[in-house]
């Protein structure tokens, strides 16, 4: 499945969208058995992907579950949080409510059910991981 289709299917679930049409994948094995429609060209119907549990990684979280991400953790973490019935976020730091800058919060706490503080690790000699 193309990564864009995967991301959009997850996002659709979180947004309550019942499905969407995309030209990506039409005429391939991935489109077999799926609905099709012709507008200016052929499109394939993709359905949303819901999750029972999402395990996501964030940089920081506050006691209310609001999350701030770092780098590529922002790619799928926020949309997975919205598409899951239960979201567990591993964070490097848990701060008091109100300490995170509201402009930097990507995932609101309403989508996060559990926070787990996980120490940051670094790669040491011979590639072994160790606590930072």
């Amino acid at each position: 499945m193309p990564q864009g289709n995967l991301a959009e299917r997850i996002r659709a679930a979180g947004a309550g969208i019942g499905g969407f049409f995309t030209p990506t994948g039409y005429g391939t094995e991935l489109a077999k058995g799926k609905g099709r429609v012709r507008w200016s060209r052929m499109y394939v119907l993709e359905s949303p992907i819901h999750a029972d549990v999402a395990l996501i990684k964030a940089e920081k979280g506050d006691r209310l579950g609001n999350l701030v991400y770092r780098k590529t953790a922002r790619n799928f973490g926020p949309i997975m949080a919205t598409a899951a019935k239960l979201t567990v976020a591993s964070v490097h730091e848990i701060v008091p409510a109100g300490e995170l800058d509201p402009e930097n919060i990507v995932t609101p706490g309403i989508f996060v059910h559990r926070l787990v503080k996980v120490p940051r690790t670094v790669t040491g000699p011979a590639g072994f991981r160790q606590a930072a």
Side-chain angles (χ1 to χ4, degrees):
M1 169 182 313
Q3 188 172 4
N5 285 14
L6 174 63
E8 188 59 17
R9 288 179 68 191
I10 296 166
R11 192 197 69 75
I17 297 170
F20 63 94
F21 285 99
T22 178
T24 305
Y26 177 77
T28 68
E29 289 290 317
L30 297 172
K32 284 196 174 177
K34 296 182 180 179
R36 299 181 308 224
V37 68
R38 182 185 229 3
W39 284 305
S40 58
R41 58 183 172 168
M42 293 302 295
Y43 290 80
V44 177
L45 176 63
E46 293 287 359
S47 57
I49 297 177
H50 297 272
D52 290 330
V53 178
L55 305 174
I56 61 175
K57 177 183 175 183
E59 183 65 18
K60 274 187 207 179
D62 68 12
R63 298 271 178 207
L64 299 175
N66 297 308
L67 301 177
V68 174
Y69 298 88
R70 182 172 178 264
K71 299 187 178 184
T72 59
R74 192 171 174 164
N75 290 348
F76 282 92
I79 59 174
M80 282 304 304
T82 64
K85 293 177 187 172
L86 173 74
T87 299
V88 179
S90 70
V91 295
H92 297 303
E93 186 179 354
I94 300 175
V95 299
E99 190 169 307
L100 296 176
D101 179 355
E103 293 292 324
N104 293 330
I105 293 172
V106 178
T107 300
I110 193 167
F111 296 111
V112 179
H113 304 93
R114 305 280 187 277
L115 286 178
V116 178
K117 185 175 179 185
V118 177
R120 188 178 311 281
T121 58
V122 296
T123 303
F128 291 103
R129 296 185 66 105
Q130 56 195 16

